[in-house]
mmCIF file of all heavy atoms in Angstrom:
data_model
loop_
_atom_site.group_PDB
_atom_site.id
_atom_site.type_symbol
_atom_site.label_atom_id
_atom_site.label_comp_id
_atom_site.label_asym_id
_atom_site.label_seq_id
_atom_site.Cartn_x
_atom_site.Cartn_y
_atom_site.Cartn_z
ATOM 1 N N GLY A 281 32.344 -14.680 28.840
ATOM 2 C CA GLY A 281 31.375 -15.288 27.887
ATOM 3 C C GLY A 281 30.555 -16.446 28.435
ATOM 4 O O GLY A 281 30.389 -17.434 27.757
ATOM 5 N N THR A 282 30.032 -16.373 29.580
ATOM 6 C CA THR A 282 29.092 -17.398 29.944
ATOM 7 C C THR A 282 27.802 -17.133 29.143
ATOM 8 O O THR A 282 27.522 -16.008 28.782
ATOM 9 C CB THR A 282 28.704 -17.326 31.443
ATOM 10 O OG1 THR A 282 28.142 -16.060 31.668
ATOM 11 C CG2 THR A 282 29.954 -17.489 32.275
ATOM 12 N N PRO A 283 27.051 -18.219 28.967
ATOM 13 C CA PRO A 283 25.829 -18.009 28.221
ATOM 14 C C PRO A 283 24.986 -16.830 28.821
ATOM 15 O O PRO A 283 24.433 -16.020 28.108
ATOM 16 C CB PRO A 283 25.094 -19.319 28.339
ATOM 17 C CG PRO A 283 26.179 -20.281 28.555
ATOM 18 C CD PRO A 283 27.295 -19.577 29.257
ATOM 19 N N ALA A 284 24.935 -16.869 30.144
ATOM 20 C CA ALA A 284 24.074 -15.821 30.759
ATOM 21 C C ALA A 284 24.601 -14.499 30.417
ATOM 22 O O ALA A 284 23.816 -13.591 30.090
ATOM 23 C CB ALA A 284 24.116 -16.033 32.297
ATOM 24 N N GLU A 285 25.878 -14.341 30.479
ATOM 25 C CA GLU A 285 26.421 -12.969 30.169
ATOM 26 C C GLU A 285 26.196 -12.638 28.739
ATOM 27 O O GLU A 285 25.944 -11.483 28.445
ATOM 28 C CB GLU A 285 27.867 -12.932 30.506
ATOM 29 C CG GLU A 285 28.080 -12.589 31.935
ATOM 30 C CD GLU A 285 29.523 -12.753 32.350
ATOM 31 O OE1 GLU A 285 30.341 -13.058 31.493
ATOM 32 O OE2 GLU A 285 29.744 -12.512 33.513
ATOM 33 N N SER A 286 26.364 -13.587 27.909
ATOM 34 C CA SER A 286 26.121 -13.298 26.503
ATOM 35 C C SER A 286 24.670 -12.861 26.264
ATOM 36 O O SER A 286 24.375 -11.976 25.566
ATOM 37 C CB SER A 286 26.368 -14.487 25.598
ATOM 38 O OG SER A 286 27.692 -14.913 25.832
ATOM 39 N N ALA A 287 23.863 -13.560 27.021
ATOM 40 C CA ALA A 287 22.479 -13.175 26.866
ATOM 41 C C ALA A 287 22.329 -11.734 27.399
ATOM 42 O O ALA A 287 21.549 -10.918 26.858
ATOM 43 C CB ALA A 287 21.619 -14.113 27.640
ATOM 44 N N GLY A 288 23.131 -11.474 28.430
ATOM 45 C CA GLY A 288 23.091 -10.114 28.962
ATOM 46 C C GLY A 288 23.522 -9.118 27.913
ATOM 47 O O GLY A 288 22.844 -8.132 27.694
ATOM 48 N N SER A 289 24.579 -9.417 27.247
ATOM 49 C CA SER A 289 25.016 -8.510 26.226
ATOM 50 C C SER A 289 23.950 -8.444 25.097
ATOM 51 O O SER A 289 23.706 -7.398 24.511
ATOM 52 C CB SER A 289 26.352 -8.879 25.626
ATOM 53 O OG SER A 289 26.636 -10.181 25.884
ATOM 54 N N MET A 290 23.308 -9.521 24.917
ATOM 55 C CA MET A 290 22.278 -9.542 23.909
ATOM 56 C C MET A 290 21.202 -8.548 24.316
ATOM 57 O O MET A 290 20.676 -7.860 23.495
ATOM 58 C CB MET A 290 21.693 -10.953 23.938
ATOM 59 C CG MET A 290 20.762 -11.151 22.825
ATOM 60 S SD MET A 290 21.526 -10.716 21.333
ATOM 61 C CE MET A 290 20.245 -9.792 20.620
ATOM 62 N N LYS A 291 20.911 -8.541 25.619
ATOM 63 C CA LYS A 291 19.917 -7.561 26.070
ATOM 64 C C LYS A 291 20.360 -6.189 25.733
ATOM 65 O O LYS A 291 19.651 -5.362 25.257
ATOM 66 C CB LYS A 291 19.688 -7.704 27.546
ATOM 67 C CG LYS A 291 18.639 -8.704 27.901
ATOM 68 C CD LYS A 291 18.058 -8.401 29.271
ATOM 69 C CE LYS A 291 17.423 -9.636 29.849
ATOM 70 N NZ LYS A 291 18.308 -10.504 30.611
ATOM 71 N N GLY A 292 21.657 -5.983 25.990
ATOM 72 C CA GLY A 292 22.198 -4.698 25.679
ATOM 73 C C GLY A 292 21.909 -4.343 24.193
ATOM 74 O O GLY A 292 21.503 -3.256 23.876
ATOM 75 N N MET A 293 22.113 -5.367 23.425
ATOM 76 C CA MET A 293 21.847 -5.095 21.977
ATOM 77 C C MET A 293 20.397 -4.808 21.754
ATOM 78 O O MET A 293 20.076 -3.971 20.958
ATOM 79 C CB MET A 293 22.151 -6.289 21.213
ATOM 80 C CG MET A 293 23.603 -6.402 21.009
ATOM 81 S SD MET A 293 23.851 -7.625 19.824
ATOM 82 C CE MET A 293 24.967 -8.537 20.676
ATOM 83 N N ASN A 294 19.613 -5.540 22.417
ATOM 84 C CA ASN A 294 18.177 -5.328 22.168
ATOM 85 C C ASN A 294 17.835 -3.909 22.548
ATOM 86 O O ASN A 294 17.059 -3.322 21.909
ATOM 87 C CB ASN A 294 17.401 -6.308 22.986
ATOM 88 C CG ASN A 294 16.841 -7.308 22.080
ATOM 89 O OD1 ASN A 294 16.339 -6.933 21.021
ATOM 90 N ND2 ASN A 294 16.912 -8.592 22.431
ATOM 91 N N HIS A 295 18.418 -3.477 23.670
ATOM 92 C CA HIS A 295 18.131 -2.122 24.074
ATOM 93 C C HIS A 295 18.649 -1.232 22.997
ATOM 94 O O HIS A 295 18.111 -0.165 22.705
ATOM 95 C CB HIS A 295 18.782 -1.802 25.375
ATOM 96 C CG HIS A 295 18.143 -2.553 26.511
ATOM 97 N ND1 HIS A 295 16.779 -2.627 26.606
ATOM 98 C CD2 HIS A 295 18.668 -3.267 27.503
ATOM 99 C CE1 HIS A 295 16.527 -3.372 27.662
ATOM 100 N NE2 HIS A 295 17.637 -3.765 28.236
ATOM 101 N N GLY A 296 19.796 -1.696 22.411
ATOM 102 C CA GLY A 296 20.294 -0.898 21.331
ATOM 103 C C GLY A 296 19.200 -0.685 20.327
ATOM 104 O O GLY A 296 18.867 0.460 19.955
ATOM 105 N N GLY A 297 18.582 -1.760 19.989
ATOM 106 C CA GLY A 297 17.520 -1.649 19.033
ATOM 107 C C GLY A 297 16.457 -0.762 19.507
ATOM 108 O O GLY A 297 15.985 0.177 18.851
ATOM 109 N N ALA A 298 16.089 -1.027 20.758
ATOM 110 C CA ALA A 298 14.979 -0.250 21.282
ATOM 111 C C ALA A 298 15.334 1.195 21.380
ATOM 112 O O ALA A 298 14.523 2.066 21.045
ATOM 113 C CB ALA A 298 14.579 -0.824 22.629
ATOM 114 N N SER A 299 16.585 1.447 21.839
ATOM 115 C CA SER A 299 16.868 2.866 21.995
ATOM 116 C C SER A 299 16.993 3.540 20.657
ATOM 117 O O SER A 299 16.803 4.741 20.525
ATOM 118 C CB SER A 299 18.065 3.061 22.890
ATOM 119 O OG SER A 299 19.178 2.442 22.288
ATOM 120 N N ALA A 300 17.339 2.736 19.682
ATOM 121 C CA ALA A 300 17.369 3.373 18.363
ATOM 122 C C ALA A 300 15.958 3.830 18.032
ATOM 123 O O ALA A 300 15.693 4.946 17.533
ATOM 124 C CB ALA A 300 17.810 2.350 17.286
ATOM 125 N N GLU A 301 14.973 2.982 18.336
ATOM 126 C CA GLU A 301 13.604 3.364 18.140
ATOM 127 C C GLU A 301 13.299 4.634 18.962
ATOM 128 O O GLU A 301 12.741 5.566 18.469
ATOM 129 C CB GLU A 301 12.677 2.248 18.678
ATOM 130 C CG GLU A 301 12.595 1.099 17.757
ATOM 131 C CD GLU A 301 11.749 1.386 16.538
ATOM 132 O OE1 GLU A 301 10.905 2.213 16.535
ATOM 133 O OE2 GLU A 301 12.057 0.724 15.524
ATOM 134 N N LYS A 302 13.706 4.584 20.249
ATOM 135 C CA LYS A 302 13.339 5.713 21.088
ATOM 136 C C LYS A 302 14.040 6.955 20.618
ATOM 137 O O LYS A 302 13.430 7.996 20.534
ATOM 138 C CB LYS A 302 13.705 5.376 22.502
ATOM 139 C CG LYS A 302 12.733 4.449 23.221
ATOM 140 C CD LYS A 302 12.752 4.713 24.707
ATOM 141 C CE LYS A 302 11.748 3.874 25.409
ATOM 142 N NZ LYS A 302 11.966 2.431 25.282
ATOM 143 N N ALA A 303 15.301 6.728 20.292
ATOM 144 C CA ALA A 303 16.067 7.920 19.846
ATOM 145 C C ALA A 303 15.356 8.522 18.667
ATOM 146 O O ALA A 303 15.208 9.697 18.522
ATOM 147 C CB ALA A 303 17.459 7.560 19.496
ATOM 148 N N SER A 304 14.912 7.610 17.841
ATOM 149 C CA SER A 304 14.264 8.154 16.635
ATOM 150 C C SER A 304 13.125 9.010 16.962
ATOM 151 O O SER A 304 12.979 10.091 16.433
ATOM 152 C CB SER A 304 13.825 6.999 15.731
ATOM 153 O OG SER A 304 12.618 6.496 16.255
ATOM 154 N N SER A 305 12.308 8.510 17.876
ATOM 155 C CA SER A 305 11.177 9.362 18.171
ATOM 156 C C SER A 305 11.605 10.537 19.031
ATOM 157 O O SER A 305 11.047 11.602 18.926
ATOM 158 C CB SER A 305 10.108 8.558 18.854
ATOM 159 O OG SER A 305 10.623 7.491 19.569
ATOM 160 N N GLY A 306 12.672 10.328 19.780
ATOM 161 C CA GLY A 306 13.168 11.411 20.562
ATOM 162 C C GLY A 306 13.658 12.509 19.658
ATOM 163 O O GLY A 306 13.422 13.714 19.882
#
Side-chain angles (χ1 to χ4, degrees):
Chain A
T282 62
E285 272 170 3
S286 302
S289 18
M290 190 52 227
K291 270 202 201 90
M293 281 192 231
N294 253 316
H295 291 314
S299 60
E301 285 286 332
K302 282 208 177 61
S304 78
S305 29

